[in-house]
Amino acid sequence: MKRHAMMVCLLMAALSVCAQTHQKDSLRVINLNEVEVISTRATGTTPVAFTNVSKEQLKKQNFGQDIPYLLTFTPSVLTTSDAGAGIGYTSIRVRGTDATRINVTTNGIPMNDAESHSIYWVNTPDFASSLQDMQIQRGAGTSTNGAGAFGASINMQTQGISSQPYAEFSGSYGSFNTHKETVKVGTGIINNHWGFDARLSNVQSDGYRDRASADLKSYFVQGGYYNDNTTIKFITFGGKEETYHAWDGLDKETLMEYRKYNPNGEIEDDKGDVIGFYDNQIDYYRQTHYQLLLNQILSSAWNLNVALHYTDGDGYYEEYKNARTLKEYGLQPFEANGETIKKANLVRRKLVNSGFGGGIFSVNYNNDCINASIGGGLNYYKNTHNGKVMWVKNYLGNLDPDHEYYRNIGRKTDGNIYAKANWAVGSGVNLYADLQYRYTRYKINGNNDKWDWTANPGHLQPLAIDEDFNFFNPKAGAFWNINKYNKVYASFSVANKEPTRNNYTDNLFAARPKAERLFDYELGYTFQKDWFSAGANFYFMDYKNQLVLNGQLNEIGEPVAENVKSSYRMGVELMAGAQIASWLRWDVNTTISRNRIKDYTEYLSDYNESWKELYNENGSIAQTTRYIGSTPISFSPDFMANSLISFDYKGMNASLQTQYVSKQYLNNAHQEDCTLDAYCVSNLNVGYTFKLRGIKSVNVGITVYNLFNETYESNGYASGSAIYEGKSQTKTADSKLLYTSNYAAYYPNAGINALAHITLSF
């Protein structure tokens, strides 16, 4: 099987000058005057790199895995999964940039968490079942609402209301006791003006790794009113998730012994030996979205889009912690058997309760020569963070059942306004301009959940952050339709982005994080005929103070980032597609890139030979610097390639999708012992569609993931330390550096596994 996988990868590499099919770029207008937020979308003459993913493409893959895994075929996209099977906590990277730099919107409304800047797909499970389409813009893209796009933006459009009544049931079952059930119904148009849709979904999986279970439930409801010039829709959707932690990776030795091992929830005895696992080591979160959308046609050339939104979220994660210092949790040491107990096993719960609301708008003008928009948005976010100690082993003091040991509140105001125009000047040439002003103010007040060991006496780290940012993000470009077969475009964009919450709270002892700036240069070419299409996109992304992942994790398993003064990402994305026969199609794409920090210095924590952390005389953590120079950016492969072979004949359909990803470094120190190995993974889907009496259509099939049983890891982390000679608790001038030590851990992915699926449409 390994040989077959290698042959597929080699064949893809040989076709690396090809690319994905050029799809139609305009939004598909269905039977009604739908609410379509087009001002943040790219069209066929917008000079940016983008890919449209249709409802039909999503449906062919949507059998249980999260949305990132439904996008793996699109250029420059990488996905990761903590649980190893693509369900639960998953993430996406584009051109090497992580999720905190990927702007995500639904109907133009921001989806990224305002503090973390991430979107946690686990909070809206099976959302793909309610989407009309998606557009991924790579690079800075067009002006959008919400967090800055520093590697990509993902624009999702929810489904339109069908003109006819319908009902649909889909279900799947397979490996790791994974199953998904989805029910969808719609009224069609009532009295020529009204329509309603609803969806309920349930997704559950035991996960590939031990105890890495996921229990996900979600809903989607919309109602709309239509007349000749006005469309009003109310949409609400949400999800509830309960997942067992799989946040910690495995070292290479453990991977060799038992790949499915999950260290989260370990219960240790007094000697440090694992004697069991905590049953309630879970992450629980509920999130509900409300959207009120208005589309008003003002004339044949003018229309107005307005949307109000609110997102309510609350939840917690609970975990068993071994040998924790009691004073970190506001608890006093206690006496037991004549001994003072300063450390004990305990259970803690960290809670959040957030609200995010605001509005967006756009005024759009379109005639034969000019397509222009003025738009923007204003949003406000508040999130309360607090922590409680639920239980302490053998504790003899007075423990409040809800003992709270920290609390802080984050608040953020985010506003932007933009103006953009695409002007057809003649001879197939379009000029594009896009100007955006964005303002943010971010405040955190209270105590952090981390203990300040450098203070005397020690205490929880105080949070008193109040920063505002003013960003100007101009973009300009040109598109030339040379003839009906050949097109070329070029663009230059400036993007700015503020730090995330974690950039502040994970680095309180370091320099305060700085805002990032990106200068994005894009040059593209496409060729298209009836049966064949090809294209190339060249990009150079020049960063100032880019916040790059340094390979380390914070206490809850989230990646830690640091500013680097000067860095870049450059490469070429190549795409092609061929309709070989009426029943057979082949699409391929590849990304060849170079991702570098120009002048990097690594900071290593100092340790003595007994592995106790050293402190300087002033109480600050002692560190050693190591100059690296030019170095690859972590988690940024130099080569990626995708192949998709599709077969469709008389109700039978099949597809073979293959992705190859080259080696990735886990940190920025260019260390060969801290890398993710290259991997090549293929997925096979086979289905058959037919009709039965009383049923519009029946589709049955099976998807085999990791067809050739590749052993691989798609994510991990690494850290380094400087080891000194001697037992002194302070680093001295004559201390001798013995060596540096590196630790790497990995998240294993599942081997061959399968899901059988069925869809009934009425």
Side-chain angles (χ1 to χ4, degrees), residues 408-655:
N408 62 76
I409 299 176
R411 297 177 175 87
K412 188 171 186 178
T413 302
D414 186 335
N416 84 98
I417 188 166
Y418 59 82
K420 61 180 71 173
N422 196 329
W423 178 28
V425 296
S427 301
V429 176
N430 284 64
L431 300 180
Y432 177 79
D434 183 344
L435 304 176
Q436 182 194 51
Y437 167 75
R438 180 166 175 257
Y439 169 81
T440 69
R441 184 181 182 185
Y442 182 45
K443 299 173 64 177
I444 315 178
N445 292 293
N447 290 321
N448 198 10
D449 60 342
K450 300 177 179 64
W451 189 258
D452 186 354
W453 291 100
T454 68
N456 188 16
H459 53 72
L460 288 171
Q461 299 169 2
L463 293 173
I465 296 167
D466 186 353
E467 293 199 342
D468 56 3
F469 300 90
N470 293 272
F471 296 135
F472 177 56
N473 302 315
K475 304 172 176 67
F479 182 94
W480 183 20
N481 192 350
I482 301 172
N483 53 43
K484 65 179 181 179
Y485 301 124
N486 299 279
K487 301 176 178 63
V488 65
Y489 64 83
S491 65
F492 169 72
S493 304
V494 178
N496 294 273
K497 184 177 176 300
E498 72 278 15
T500 70
R501 172 187 171 90
N502 282 357
N503 297 149
Y504 290 105
T505 60
D506 289 340
N507 297 285
L508 284 181
F509 295 115
R512 179 157 288 192
K514 302 175 182 177
E516 309 167 84
R517 176 168 293 180
L518 165 65
F519 301 96
D520 184 20
Y521 305 82
E522 306 272 343
L523 175 64
Y525 166 78
T526 60
F527 171 84
Q528 186 168 10
K529 297 192 71 172
D530 292 339
W531 67 276
F532 177 76
S533 63
N537 184 74
F538 301 88
Y539 64 89
F540 180 73
M541 302 168 70
D542 185 19
Y543 294 90
K544 306 300 179 186
N545 295 318
Q546 182 183 185
L547 280 158
V548 299
L549 302 182
N550 62 16
Q552 300 180 37
L553 299 183
N554 65 17
E555 193 177 26
I556 61 171
E558 295 173 323
V560 175
E562 61 180 315
N563 286 114
V564 293
K565 185 177 180 180
S566 183
S567 57
Y568 65 88
R569 303 179 188 273
M570 62 181 296
V572 57
E573 296 161 330
L574 304 167
M575 298 148 279
Q579 191 73 46
I580 300 171
S582 60
W583 46 271
L584 183 63
R585 181 171 186 84
W586 193 0
D587 295 287
V588 295
N589 64 67
T590 188
T591 301
I592 305 169
S593 64
R594 180 178 174 85
N595 311 277
R596 295 292 185 270
I597 300 172
K598 294 182 180 179
D599 197 23
Y600 183 67
T601 297
E602 182 184 28
Y603 289 84
L604 301 169
S605 296
D606 295 340
Y607 287 82
N608 68 2
E609 62 183 15
S610 61
W611 290 89
K612 292 183 178 179
E613 196 167 1
L614 294 178
Y615 292 88
N616 290 318
E617 292 181 357
N618 63 2
S620 63
I621 297 174
Q623 289 185 317
T624 292
T625 60
R626 181 168 60 176
Y627 179 72
I628 305 296
S630 177
T631 185
I633 300 177
S634 62
F635 303 101
S636 302
D638 290 340
F639 181 78
M640 296 174 55
N642 292 295
S643 168
L644 179 63
I645 301 173
S646 306
F647 168 89
D648 197 339
Y649 182 73
K650 293 185 177 180
M652 286 291 299
N653 60 85
S655 64

Side-chain angles (χ1 to χ4, degrees), residues 380-401:
Y380 180 75
Y381 174 90
K382 179 182 178 182
N383 195 1
T384 300
H385 306 254
N386 64 300
K388 298 181 178 181
V389 177
M390 314 300 293
W391 171 85
V392 180
K393 182 180 179 180
N394 297 329
Y395 194 65
L396 298 181
N398 295 320
L399 179 63
D400 189 313

Side-chain angles (χ1 to χ4, degrees), residues 342-416:
K342 297 182 179 181
K343 292 185 177 182
N345 294 6
L346 54 83
V347 173
R348 72 181 185 188
R349 179 179 287 185
K350 293 187 175 182
L351 306 95
V352 292
N353 186 291
S354 66
F356 175 59
I360 64 170
F361 80 97
S362 66
V363 179
N364 311 293
Y365 174 80
N366 189 12
N367 66 16
D368 293 337
C369 296
I370 296 179
N371 186 349
S373 297
I374 296 176
L378 181 63
N379 307 295
Y380 180 75
Y381 174 90
K382 179 182 178 182
N383 195 1
T384 300
H385 306 254
N386 64 300
K388 298 181 178 181
V389 177
M390 314 300 293
W391 171 85
V392 180
K393 182 180 179 180
N394 297 329
Y395 194 65
L396 298 181
N398 295 320
L399 179 63
D400 189 313
D402 280 330
H403 174 76
E404 183 175 281
Y405 67 99
Y406 79 90
R407 175 178 288 264
N408 62 76
I409 299 176
R411 297 177 175 87
K412 188 171 186 178
T413 302
D414 186 335
N416 84 98

Side-chain angles (χ1 to χ4, degrees), residues 265-306:
E266 289 179 340
I267 299 175
E268 298 177 356
D269 61 16
D270 294 338
K271 298 179 181 179
D273 296 326
V274 177
I275 58 174
F277 296 91
Y278 184 56
D279 288 338
N280 207 43
Q281 187 95 354
I282 63 168
D283 180 271
Y284 173 87
Y285 197 77
R286 177 200 57 80
Q287 189 175 82
T288 308
H289 299 254
Y290 305 95
Q291 298 182 355
L292 181 62
L293 312 176
L294 166 69
N295 181 34
Q296 180 68 47
I297 297 176
L298 304 174
S299 70
S300 60
W302 291 89
N303 73 83
L304 169 69
N305 291 119
V306 177

Side-chain angles (χ1 to χ4, degrees), residues 44-102:
T45 57
T46 307
V48 299
F50 70 96
T51 300
N52 286 337
V53 182
S54 68
K55 180 178 181 179
E56 291 74 20
Q57 290 172 301
L58 292 170
K59 192 171 184 178
K60 288 179 180 179
Q61 305 177 73
N62 184 25
F63 308 123
Q65 292 186 322
D66 296 343
I67 282 179
Y69 277 74
L70 308 185
L71 303 176
T72 52
F73 180 71
T74 58
S76 303
V77 166
L78 278 177
T79 56
T80 68
S81 170
D82 288 0
I87 299 173
Y89 270 92
T90 61
S91 189
I92 186 172
R93 298 189 184 113
V94 182
R95 291 184 179 176
T97 55
D98 68 281
T100 65
R101 281 143 189 82
I102 300 174

